């Protein structure tokens, strides 16, 4: 068993903060934005419900990402909750191998519902959102979206991020 670590009495360093955050289990989602050749996306583990009436979600997006300006420009985004079968999608949208922009969409089937944002056809849950607001805090923006349409394909499994890696989670 590891000895507990504490930063009591000192400022929390970036490395210690990231190490602690990797111990929090998060659902892996791909945020998509843009259309056609002008689209991008990224993986996030920070998507939460803000409101059920009206339906709204929050995602935290790094302002230095290639996706942030696309969300701002198109005023829409998709949230695609992934299952274990989507690990390659997660890796592509994480930028493994230097893959960027529209090239991240290759190797998966995409669709649109209302706003034009790309949604993964077999996502566990997909939310088509119009942008309400972007609130800048630190390196990220809190992106608030109104959910315009949803699509589900619940197979009883999810892809989670824990301890620095993607892992399957089964309902059984």
């Amino acid at each position: 068993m590891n000895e507990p670590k504490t930063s009591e009495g000192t400022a929390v360093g970036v490395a210690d903060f990231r190490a602690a955050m990797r111990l929090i289990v998060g659902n892996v989602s791909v945020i998509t934005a843009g259309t056609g050749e002008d689209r991008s996306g990224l993986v996030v583990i920070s998507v939460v419900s803000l409101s059920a009436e009206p339906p709204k979600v929050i995602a935290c997006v790094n302002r230095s990402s290639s996706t942030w300006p696309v969300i701002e420009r198109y005023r829409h985004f998709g949230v695609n909750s992934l299952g274990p079968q989507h690990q390659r999608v997660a890796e592509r949208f994480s930028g493994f191998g230097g893959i960027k922009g529209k090239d991240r969409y290759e190797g998966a089937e995409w669709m649109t519902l209302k706003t034009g944002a790309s949604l993964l056809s077999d996502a566990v849950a997909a939310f088509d959102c119009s942008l309400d607001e972007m609130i800048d805090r630190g390196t990220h923006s809190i992106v608030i979206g109104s959910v315009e349409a949803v699509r589900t394909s619940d197979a009883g499994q999810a892809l989670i991020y824990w301890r620095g890696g993607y892992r399957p989670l089964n309902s059984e």
Side-chain angles (χ1 to χ4, degrees):
M1 183 185 242
N2 293 337
E3 288 293 317
K5 292 175 75 177
T6 182
S7 62
E8 189 176 326
T10 63
V12 176
V14 172
D16 287 339
F17 178 74
R18 285 185 177 154
M21 290 303 297
R22 285 187 178 120
L23 297 175
I24 296 175
V25 176
N27 173 260
V28 179
S29 295
V30 166
I31 301 290
T32 58
T35 61
E37 297 291 308
D38 185 27
R39 60 184 175 163
S40 191
L42 73 160
V43 168
V44 299
I45 57 168
S46 55
V47 174
V48 294
S49 167
L50 173 63
S51 169
E53 292 183 39
K56 293 186 182 287
V57 294
I58 295 174
C60 297
V61 176
N62 192 318
R63 289 194 320 272
S64 68
S65 75
S66 61
T67 305
W68 187 92
V70 180
I71 294 171
E72 186 177 50
R73 184 166 50 254
Y74 283 88
R75 313 288 302 167
H76 74 226
F77 61 96
V79 176
N80 300 275
S81 178
L82 305 184
Q85 71 275 20
H86 301 120
Q87 182 158 345
R88 286 195 167 173
V89 172
E91 290 168 352
R92 292 180 74 79
F93 278 84
S94 294
F96 287 20
I99 300 168
K100 296 183 185 273
K102 66 177 180 54
D103 294 336
R104 291 181 174 180
Y105 290 81
E106 292 178 14
E109 188 175 323
W110 300 91
M111 61 180 290
T112 60
L113 290 176
K114 191 170 179 183
T115 70
S118 296
L119 302 173
L120 191 58
S121 295
D122 62 344
V124 173
F127 302 85
D128 189 11
C129 304
S130 59
L131 179 65
D132 285 356
E133 186 176 3
M134 295 171 87
I135 303 167
D136 296 343
R137 292 293 184 269
T139 57
H140 286 63
S141 287
I142 302 164
V143 177
I144 302 172
S146 290
V147 178
E148 305 292 343
V150 296
R151 187 169 190 281
T152 60
S153 181
D154 182 4
Q157 296 182 313
L159 186 64
I160 63 169
Y161 181 82
W162 185 57
R163 292 187 176 237
Y166 299 124
R167 303 176 193 293
L169 176 68
N170 298 318
S171 63
E172 300 167 357

